[in-house]
Amino acid sequence: RFKDAKEILWDLINEPSFCSAKHLWSVRPNGDEFEIAAWNNWLRARFPQATTEHALRDICATTFRVSKRRALDLPDPEDFREMHLHGDRCPLKAAAYRFFAQDMFTAWATRLRDVIKREAGPGHLVTVGQDEGGAYDRPSTQFHSRAVDFTCLHNWWANDDLLWDGIVTKVPGTTHLVEETGVMMYEDQLGKPWLSEEAAAALLDRKCAYAFAAGGAGFIE
């Protein structure tokens, strides 16, 4: 019905995480049969010289610790903990899973984009709305930028990192929009506003200015 409209932007999902519903806004395994199959296929594609699990174990041993678990097993939640002494944890296996998650999310976004472009037309622009979590433990613009027409940032909570978050989520050659910005309401111990109206206005002013200072295309308040 709206295929001829020229002012529609498709936001595929708002502030996504991956993949377990028990660990929202994080990158953690879900552990079902479909993810295990996708993970195994991804490992074999990542290491094409590994034709058997034994060969994959030898290769993986050079990139992450292999304890009593099978080389093809998904990482455990403990593998994602930051520890000085690893013990039986496999932190580099968790790192491999993060790359897997980024690839799977990008593939998902690409499929949706292709359907939209085919059915609604190439004039409809597609993006993925992501907040500051995209600079940490979430689907990142640095990976899924190739699946969208422009990247974006929702900067809400990390008020000390406004310029940093704009820079690390900006992909060279790709338009970057601070798509959702504003001032969250904070309260002090007495339940009164933490920011005065003047301080809130100054913070919003900085957020809008940093949207351009980080090389972005602008902002939507």
Side-chain angles (χ1 to χ4, degrees):
R1 291 173 57 195
F2 293 93
K3 65 182 180 60
D4 296 323
K6 305 299 182 184
E7 299 82 19
I8 294 180
L9 308 179
W10 292 79
D11 196 333
L12 297 181
I13 188 171
N14 184 59
E15 300 173 3
S17 57
F18 189 101
C19 141
S20 173
K22 297 178 181 179
H23 301 279
L24 287 178
W25 300 293
S26 300
V27 170
R28 298 293 186 274
N30 187 51
D32 61 34
E33 59 182 304
F34 305 103
E35 184 185 30
I36 293 172
W39 165 250
N40 287 185
N41 291 335
W42 182 87
L43 278 177
R44 292 190 175 97
R46 185 84 166 189
F47 306 106
Q49 64 273 43
T51 56
T52 66
E53 181 174 344
H54 181 75
L56 181 61
R57 179 183 292 272
D58 289 341
I59 293 172
C60 292
T62 66
T63 57
F64 53 74
R65 290 172 60 92
V66 178
S67 60
K68 297 178 181 179
R69 288 172 281 163
R70 297 172 60 245
L72 289 173
D73 286 350
L74 288 162
D76 288 340
E78 285 293 307
D79 294 332
F80 292 86
R81 291 183 60 191
E82 295 184 9
M83 304 291 292
H84 297 296
L85 300 176
H86 300 314
D88 288 334
R89 297 179 182 89
C90 302
L92 288 179
K93 194 170 189 179
Y97 181 86
R98 294 179 193 276
F99 284 108
F100 161 78
Q102 299 290 352
D103 285 349
M104 293 300 102
F105 182 83
T106 299
W108 171 84
T110 299
R111 288 196 298 271
L112 288 184
R113 178 206 63 197
D114 290 346
V115 170
I116 291 170
K117 297 290 187 180
R118 183 179 68 246
E119 301 296 334
H124 286 222
L125 301 182
V126 175
T127 191
V128 168
Q130 184 60 285
D131 63 6
E132 302 101 325
Y136 301 95
D137 195 19
R138 306 262 290 281
S140 168
T141 56
Q142 298 295 337
F143 292 89
H144 66 246
S145 64
R146 61 184 181 271
V148 297
D149 292 303
F150 65 96
T151 56
C152 59
L153 169 67
H154 304 172
N155 55 2
W156 277 105
W157 293 107
N159 294 330
D160 294 330
D161 301 326
L162 295 177
L163 184 59
W164 169 256
D165 286 340
I167 290 173
V168 299
T169 56
K170 174 75 169 68
V171 179
T174 301
T175 300
H176 194 50
L177 177 68
V178 175
E179 186 190 45
E180 185 179 315
T181 191
V183 179
M184 281 294 194
M185 295 295 102
Y186 297 88
E187 293 181 349
D188 63 16
Q189 291 85 346
L190 299 177
K192 297 180 180 179
W194 180 63
L195 294 174
S196 67
E197 291 186 1
E198 292 78 9
L203 176 57
L204 179 58
D205 197 43
R206 288 196 301 277
K207 288 188 173 188
C208 296
Y210 278 131
F212 293 102
F219 60 88
I220 300 175
E221 191 273 327

